[in-house]
Amino acid sequence: MLKTSKFSWRAGLGSALVALALPAMAQQYKQAPMLDAAVADGKLPPVAERLPAQPEVFKPFESIGKYGDVMRFGISGFADMEQIQNWAGNMGLVQQDYDTNYTTIIPNVAESFKITDDGKTFTFHLRPGMKWSDGTPFTADDIEFSVNDILLHEEMAPVPVIWTAGNKIFKFRKIDDLTVEFSFEAPYGDFLFELSDRRYITPTYYQKAYCSQAHPDYNENLEADLAANNLSDWRDYLLQLCGDPHLTPARWSNPDRPSLEAWVIKEPYAGGATQVELERNPYFWQVDPEGNQYPYVDTLIGTIYSDPEGLLLGAIGGNIDFGFRKFEATANRPVLAENAERIGAELYEVTAIGGTSLFFTFNLTHQDPELRELFNEKDFRVAMSIGFDRQEVIETALLGVGEPWHNAPFEDSAMYHERYATQYLEFDPEKANALLDGLGLTERNAEGIRLLPSGRPISFNIEATVARPELNDQLEIMAIQWRENIGVDAQLNASERALMMARVNNNDHDATAWEDHSSWLPGRLPTGMVPLEFDSRWAIAWADWYKSGGTSGEEPPEHIKERFRLYEDSKSALTFEARRDIYHQIADIAADHFETFGVSKNISNYGLKKIALRNVRPSNPSTSQYPPALQRPWTFYWDTPDGNRQ
């Protein structure tokens, strides 16, 4: 578990951490044997010429590794691009340090960084001689293109909130070929943590030479190129060529896209594929302390399974070397334990860091006026929270392991807020019915379902995803109890994640259920309390208003605006204590209004890891906000006599 009580804010923000110096004796860099023939034939330069002048030296977790073979993982269908990113992605300017429980920021693509004392200006120095996967130099020009011509371009999507402070978008400056600067009008204590997030690596994602061919400011023949590709919009062409750093399949569909990652696409993630293959990047810019160029493993192979059940079968069949995402549910633990030894694997702990097993939200900005009015009644939401028995859900759907809890940090966290975490968790159908009666919802139909003033039954759909069966098991029990205990009809609508998100993002939903890992740590947006982006499924129209600066969406009530103001204040906080105090003010307001609720405290679950796979940390946080990529899988290797998996 993340020990947030030991968080050192100034250590996490104040000083640049310089990469470990490579010993003089190790200046003879070494490469994987699979590259020897290409170097001998002159198809690749020698390894020393492919590396930066000072490559990042990273000490592996256990030991210096061996080169060779493949590592296999699982992908659930054609909307699970995040799984690929979990292993191969996350090459931003900076990174959160696993060894300090993600509470310290260290350089990554940037060789070093500096922050002004007022917390407003962030300067990054790049590595001389660093190259893209196609062997061309990576310089500040690439960052300038990615920022000015992509992120800030007027025809692109609205700039995400993480790129603002004091309600103003940052200013970018290229200082020289290896130095760039981001400056804000207000102090921004969270910026480096946000910049380390897998979703916000835009500055280091787009290679100017390649991706500019899709840009109207650089390609004079763009119209012809669009026509040749049956496209009419340059943004679609950009997505086709380069994807984007967010969660879209296109990121992994073009083998020609240059990247900075340890492995590059060989067999793409595209329709009809049964697997994705990534092969080592010969220009990868990290080495171990003995001068061995990473990665150790030659190839990543991701098998595409139709659903989470297929992932589970692949894991217990021995076809997934390391994994947990989408099959680490509590209900799967017995079958994983029964099969681990047979396939040379061991249970791998997936550690809960906060939050709840199921985060339930009504759509407070619903387009139907009658449902909107109902959902915005606090007494209705309280009645729904106390109108089902969480302990029965825990005993039935969670194998008896859990504790009633909302979407909040745990008690051992410095961010813990008791009222927000624990109010209205009791099962009290008598009080729930009294609250609903008090709202005038006393009439019922022949099936015992309460009626709205219009005569419609109180019935709503819960948008969920087939990829999370453990959520749906809980929802089915909750729906039965709501019908029986308080006369409210809830229908589970489980679909593919992409379809679910389309309905939610269009504000075309009644209610949603999703996983939650609330820690309120730096870099983690408090979307359960403040409607900041798409994760705030309880108030999409208010989130759109905030993101657009009031030009779209819907103006929220004053208590939501106050939370926006406090959130902006929290970004300017330069001490952990000041930030915590502001978050607790937000939590006070959110607790007063009680817009959302949870079911049970998250618990640690388990995936599988092959025993011979080494340099893997003993556990990984359960949230995708801390993906295995932060463990640097390019340091993993097979501890076998020949370095092979079997």
Side-chain angles (χ1 to χ4, degrees):
M1 181 181 297
L2 298 183
K3 299 299 183 181
T4 59
S5 59
K6 296 181 179 179
F7 180 83
S8 174
W9 180 257
R10 189 49 69 173
L13 182 66
S15 61
L17 302 181
V18 180
L20 180 66
L22 194 68
M25 60 178 292
Q27 291 296 333
Q28 275 305 78
Y29 297 116
K30 296 175 280 291
Q31 66 185 11
M34 72 171 291
L35 300 177
D36 289 347
V39 172
D41 293 343
K43 296 178 181 178
L44 275 179
V47 61
E49 296 177 19
R50 302 196 307 268
L51 289 166
Q54 287 293 327
E56 181 180 11
V57 183
F58 187 78
K59 182 180 179 182
F61 175 59
E62 295 173 310
S63 55
I64 300 297
K66 302 174 183 178
Y67 284 121
D69 212 33
V70 306
M71 188 181 81
R72 302 170 302 175
F73 62 97
I75 302 169
S76 181
F78 286 94
D80 193 21
M81 49 278 169
E82 190 171 0
Q83 188 71 287
I84 309 173
Q85 191 164 337
N86 281 347
W87 302 108
N90 223 48
M91 290 304 170
L93 286 166
V94 295
Q95 188 172 109
Q96 296 174 60
D97 183 19
Y98 192 106
D99 289 329
T100 61
N101 285 325
Y102 307 107
T103 59
T104 300
I105 293 295
I106 58 176
N108 192 43
V109 169
E111 186 175 59
S112 62
F113 58 82
K114 293 190 301 184
I115 309 161
T116 54
D117 290 341
D118 61 7
K120 294 182 180 181
T121 302
F122 301 77
T123 304
F124 301 90
H125 185 70
L126 307 181
R127 302 175 191 278
M130 186 169 168
K131 298 175 178 64
W132 291 93
S133 57
D134 63 355
T136 58
F138 169 71
T139 71
D141 287 340
D142 296 300
I143 296 180
E144 184 177 46
F145 171 79
S146 297
V147 171
N148 288 338
D149 296 315
I150 305 295
L151 177 63
L152 300 181
H153 194 280
E154 60 183 6
E155 294 183 29
M156 297 298 285
V159 178
V161 65
I162 76 108
W163 300 102
T164 68
N167 291 310
K168 298 289 181 64
I169 296 172
F170 69 93
K171 293 180 180 178
F172 174 82
R173 183 164 70 103
K174 172 190 166 185
I175 296 175
D176 58 41
D177 287 346
L178 295 174
T179 313
V180 297
E181 177 186 276
F182 296 78
S183 59
F184 296 86
E185 297 221 358
Y188 194 175
D190 271 10
F191 179 58
L192 290 183
F193 286 91
E194 302 285 13
L195 198 58
S196 71
D197 189 287
R198 71 203 188 286
R199 297 170 295 177
Y200 305 125
I201 62 170
T202 301
T204 57
Y205 180 80
Y206 296 95
Q207 188 202 58
K208 181 178 180 179
Y210 185 79
C211 297
S212 62
Q213 64 185 307
H215 200 286
D217 294 347
Y218 294 89
N219 184 355
E220 295 180 354
N221 300 311
L222 182 60
E223 290 300 323
D225 289 344
L226 290 176
N229 287 277
N230 296 314
L231 298 170
S232 59
D233 192 314
W234 70 271
R235 294 168 295 184
D236 293 332
Y237 191 29
L238 179 70
L239 191 66
Q240 179 176 295
L241 284 179
C242 297
D244 66 40
H246 297 275
L247 304 179
T248 58
R251 175 173 177 177
W252 310 103
S253 63
N254 182 9
D256 294 330
R257 177 183 70 85
S259 82
L260 300 176
E261 288 143 6
W263 297 275
V264 295
I265 285 288
K266 183 178 180 183
E267 293 184 23
Y269 189 45
T274 58
Q275 71 175 28
V276 176
E277 183 175 333
L278 297 95
E279 193 171 72
R280 71 168 56 253
N281 173 4
Y283 291 92
F284 191 56
W285 40 277
Q286 294 183 21
V287 299
D288 69 19
E290 295 184 3
N292 299 298
Q293 184 188 32
Y294 288 123
Y296 290 139
V297 170
D298 292 329
T299 306
L300 296 184
I301 294 180
T303 300
I304 301 173
Y305 297 92
S306 60
D307 51 34
E309 183 66 24
L311 276 177
L312 176 63
L313 293 175
I316 63 177
N319 299 316
I320 294 176
D321 296 320
F322 179 25
F324 49 84
R325 186 171 179 268
K326 294 193 176 183
F327 66 85
E328 81 278 22
T330 303
N332 293 339
R333 189 183 306 173
V335 71
L336 293 174
E338 289 168 6
N339 287 277
E341 183 177 357
R342 176 180 57 80
I343 60 173
E346 58 190 356
L347 289 177
Y348 184 78
E349 184 177 13
V350 188
T351 311
I353 66 168
T356 179
S357 63
L358 186 151
F359 180 40
F360 191 91
T361 62
F362 287 107
N363 180 6
L364 303 188
T365 60
H366 204 295
Q367 299 180 59
D368 181 315
E370 194 169 32
L371 285 179
R372 179 192 181 98
E373 182 177 357
L374 177 68
F375 294 163
N376 274 275
E377 290 284 356
K378 178 183 175 181
D379 282 352
F380 175 74
R381 298 190 298 270
V382 172
M384 296 299 292
S385 181
I386 65 176
F388 75 99
D389 185 351
R390 287 174 171 80
Q391 199 57 48
E392 181 179 337
V393 176
I394 292 168
E395 292 296 330
T396 306
L398 301 177
L399 301 184
V401 182
E403 174 187 342
W405 200 258
H406 292 309
N407 53 305
F410 294 160
E411 300 97 325
D412 63 349
S413 168
M415 300 300 290
Y416 173 60
H417 187 283
E418 182 178 9
R419 184 161 66 101
Y420 187 84
T422 62
Q423 66 176 346
Y424 307 124
L425 289 171
E426 70 277 9
F427 176 46
D428 192 340
E430 182 177 349
K431 181 179 177 181
N433 279 296
L435 288 171
L436 295 176
D437 290 345
L439 292 173
L441 304 171
T442 56
E443 299 296 322
R444 300 188 185 224
N445 64 15
E447 287 75 38
I449 302 302
R450 292 176 182 268
L451 302 178
L452 292 163
S454 66
R456 296 163 55 190
I458 300 180
S459 180
F460 58 85
N461 288 326
I462 308 170
E463 301 294 342
T465 171
V466 293
R468 290 294 182 186
E470 68 276 14
L471 296 183
N472 301 338
D473 290 345
Q474 296 173 71
L475 286 169
E476 288 175 355
I477 299 168
M478 293 162 63
I480 292 171
Q481 291 194 31
W482 279 331
R483 173 180 279 269
E484 294 178 350
N485 296 330
I486 59 177
V488 173
D489 178 47
Q491 299 292 328
L492 176 60
N493 184 29
S495 61
E496 291 292 337
R497 177 179 176 177
L499 295 176
M500 171 195 168
M501 292 307 301
R503 285 191 289 271
V504 172
N505 289 335
N506 289 329
N507 199 30
D508 190 24
H509 65 293
D510 300 336
T512 63
W514 198 248
E515 60 184 355
D516 171 76
H517 303 278
S518 295
S519 67
W520 303 347
L521 291 176
R524 309 276 74 85
L525 297 180
T527 51
M529 300 190 295
V530 189
L532 297 172
E533 59 170 21
F534 68 92
D535 279 342
S536 300
R537 299 171 180 89
W538 52 283
I540 288 293
W542 295 343
D544 289 343
W545 181 88
Y546 174 70
K547 290 187 296 183
S548 68
T551 61
S552 65
E554 180 182 318
E555 184 174 359
E558 186 58 37
H559 66 89
I560 295 292
K561 291 181 181 178
E562 177 61 16
R563 281 181 251 183
F564 288 147
R565 287 190 286 268
L566 286 168
Y567 170 69
E568 290 296 333
D569 289 345
S570 77
K571 292 165 67 174
S572 299
L574 296 181
T575 67
F576 177 76
E577 291 74 18
R579 184 180 180 280
R580 178 197 59 206
D581 291 346
I582 295 171
Y583 265 59
H584 280 191
Q585 292 179 56
I586 295 172
D588 286 338
I589 299 172
D592 288 342
H593 291 272
F594 193 68
E595 290 105 348
T596 65
F597 56 83
V599 174
S600 177
K601 182 181 288 187
N602 268 332
I603 61 169
S604 294
N605 276 310
Y606 293 88
L608 286 178
K609 182 191 78 70
K610 293 293 179 65
I611 294 172
L613 188 65
R614 303 298 296 273
N615 284 336
V616 182
R617 306 284 173 150
S619 66
N620 200 89
S622 57
T623 168
S624 59
Q625 295 166 345
Y626 300 103
L630 293 181
Q631 292 195 41
R632 307 197 188 205
W634 38 98
T635 69
F636 297 173
Y637 75 98
W638 292 102
D639 188 17
T640 57
D642 59 0
N644 290 328
R645 187 179 70 253
Q646 301 296 340

